[in-house]
Amino acid sequence: MAGTVLISGASIAGPALAYWLHRYGFRPVVVERAPAVRGGGYPIDVRAAAIEVADRMGLRPALEDAHIATRRATFVDARGRVIARVAPDEFTGSPTGRDVELPRGDLARLLYERTRDDVEYLFGDAVTALEQRNDGVRVEFERATARTVDLVVGADGLHSGVRALAFGPEERVRHDLGFAFAGFSLDPDADLARGLEREVVLHNGPGRLAAVYAVRGRPRPTALLAFATPPGFAVDPRDPQTHREAVAAAFRGAGWEVPRLVAAMRAADDLFFDTVSQIRMPRWSAGRVALVGDAAHAPALLSGQGTSLALVGAYVLAGELAAAGGDPAVAFPAYERVLRPFVEANQALARSGGAALIPRTRTALLLRNAVLALLPRLGPAKRLFTGRIDEAARTVALPAYGATIAARPPSRHDLA
């Protein structure tokens, strides 16, 4: 019963889902509001089960070519003095060399290039209405002519439009974790990044984090300003000026290079601002409409697992649809049964992640810094303080879905 599946979102989960659906004989169509694949973005990690998904897609060599290979994270105090230098694997608990880190835009580009010859893409457009019928879903768009498809999948992120249309307002399912962040690029000649290579430098004050990230092969370093927010914190999502003012107010009086970072943030041409939030839903599907990736279960920035959840979720959703012959009444509940424990483990990790990355009090910050300074000398005992990210990343066993794949005609990628 393979048919047409309309996917909203062309970042990570959307193209990954389209790849697997096409392999299983479905006809995926991807609609994306942006005029093209979004480039740039902060570095993201692909871990454990998601690495296995990339292997099954034949993408592992390309991911490794794009690997940033960050050497260390350096934590500094308000005067720029080094508190601790920590290798990324020491902080996450992952075996050295197993995870892959790359700019988010690079992964989006790789997934698009892997699917563009086999999948219909509608850029510069968005879904505006959904009407579920017995024989499919009638979809209306901002620009394209309305069409009826067999299934619709929202892969359009934390602020999913498909989720709003099918499940109701975002406020019902979004849970803010009490932080907000701004990410932006720095001028390549900025003194802030001079001498940095494959390194992130971080400075904390109570409830505040400022970081500069020098990415291999990228002329423009990335900056991050994150801060604790009071209850009820809200800014107009459509007004970048209010975002800039909120960040500037939160970092007023901060030390290190923060005043210069705030000035750079005010002038940045690629500022991205959002709250650190999770999406928690009792169900990820309704009739012929399902959600995947952040649209279904955003774990929040603090988990370090959003990208991996998106890749694994896309693989499982497509595999269960193939195994069920395209029947959503069978496939969607099976998808949730496989994936939900994995999602919940990583969401739980994020809810406690702020204590390590952005300690809220001076006492908590001093304790965190003392632990960081000790890590390189702890040997195997460091697992008492680290490793939770790696453990959460390995809490799912990927189904093979092999018999279903074998039943389909191979694509040109299978033969490559």
Side-chain angles (χ1 to χ4, degrees):
M1 184 188 152
T4 301
V5 182
L6 189 286
I7 303 167
S8 177
S11 180
I12 306 300
L17 178 62
Y19 170 85
W20 289 109
L21 288 175
H22 174 262
R23 279 193 62 172
Y24 299 151
F26 292 85
R27 297 182 298 279
V29 179
V30 180
V31 59
E32 165 59 46
R33 180 178 294 279
V37 175
R38 299 175 191 266
Y42 49 81
I44 51 87
D45 296 284
V46 182
R47 297 190 172 99
I51 290 288
E52 189 175 342
V53 170
D55 276 335
R56 296 182 187 187
M57 297 176 76
L59 275 178
R60 182 67 179 272
L63 292 186
E64 292 180 344
D65 285 345
H67 183 38
I68 293 169
T70 298
R71 297 181 302 169
R72 64 189 179 190
T74 300
F75 293 81
V76 299
D77 65 14
R79 299 164 111 185
R81 296 174 299 193
V82 174
I83 296 169
R85 286 193 170 99
V86 182
D89 296 330
E90 288 180 316
F91 200 72
T92 64
S94 299
T96 301
R98 191 178 71 181
D99 296 347
V100 176
E101 181 187 24
L102 71 165
R104 185 174 178 278
D106 285 10
L107 179 56
R109 175 183 54 79
L110 288 171
L111 291 167
Y112 171 66
E113 290 175 351
R114 192 72 164 165
T115 55
R116 64 183 177 188
D117 294 336
D118 302 318
V119 173
E120 179 184 359
Y121 278 85
L122 304 174
F123 285 105
D125 210 342
V127 175
T128 58
L130 300 172
E131 181 187 353
Q132 296 207 47
R133 302 172 174 176
N134 291 334
D135 62 343
V137 186
R138 177 176 168 80
V139 184
E140 296 183 11
F141 304 90
E142 287 184 355
R143 297 176 55 191
T145 302
R147 64 173 79 181
T148 298
V149 299
D150 294 281
L151 303 171
V152 172
V153 179
D156 44 352
L158 177 69
H159 305 297
S160 169
V162 166
R163 188 184 62 233
L165 290 170
F167 295 88
E170 179 179 301
E171 291 72 22
R172 296 178 184 174
V173 296
R174 191 191 76 229
H175 298 263
D176 297 334
L177 300 189
F179 299 94
F181 69 99
F184 52 96
S185 298
L186 295 171
D187 188 296
D189 297 323
D191 291 341
L192 289 165
R194 191 160 293 158
L196 296 183
E197 182 183 0
R198 294 188 291 129
E199 180 177 5
V200 56
V201 179
L202 308 97
H203 167 66
N204 283 97
R208 300 189 291 202
L209 168 69
V212 176
Y213 211 133
V215 177
R216 185 186 71 174
R218 291 295 175 112
R220 301 180 71 188
T222 299
L224 177 73
L225 294 171
F227 57 96
T229 56
F233 173 84
V235 294
D236 186 343
R238 298 162 297 184
D239 184 4
Q241 187 57 32
T242 65
H243 305 165
R244 298 178 198 275
E245 294 305 325
V247 176
F251 282 87
R252 193 167 291 125
W256 186 51
E257 300 285 0
V258 171
R260 295 169 68 189
L261 287 173
V262 170
M265 179 270 303
R266 288 187 178 278
D269 59 4
D270 61 351
L271 177 68
F272 179 83
F273 177 90
D274 210 339
T275 56
V276 177
S277 306
Q278 290 185 337
I279 298 297
R280 301 179 210 152
M281 303 180 67
R283 291 189 306 130
W284 302 332
S285 64
R288 292 176 173 270
V289 179
L291 304 171
V292 69
D294 281 357
H297 46 65
L301 178 73
L302 298 174
S303 75
Q305 274 287 92
T307 300
S308 292
L309 288 178
L311 289 171
V312 174
Y315 171 81
V316 172
L317 177 54
E320 294 298 341
L321 279 168
D327 184 352
V330 176
F332 291 166
Y335 155 62
E336 293 202 30
R337 284 194 299 272
V338 173
L339 200 65
R340 189 171 286 276
F342 183 45
V343 166
E344 291 178 349
N346 283 281
Q347 287 191 329
L349 175 67
R351 289 195 289 275
S352 61
L357 194 60
I358 316 175
R360 290 178 178 269
T361 67
R362 188 168 299 279
T363 299
L365 178 57
L366 289 172
L367 178 61
R368 193 284 309 266
N369 287 347
V371 171
L372 288 176
L374 283 172
L375 277 183
R377 299 195 292 272
L378 288 179
K382 73 179 62 173
R383 297 286 296 187
L384 295 172
F385 301 98
T386 67
R388 295 184 62 226
I389 291 177
D390 182 61
E391 290 168 7
R394 292 185 286 107
T395 55
V396 65
L398 292 181
Y401 303 121
T404 307
I405 295 174
R408 306 292 179 187
S411 73
R412 65 182 187 84
H413 293 305
D414 300 325
L415 302 174

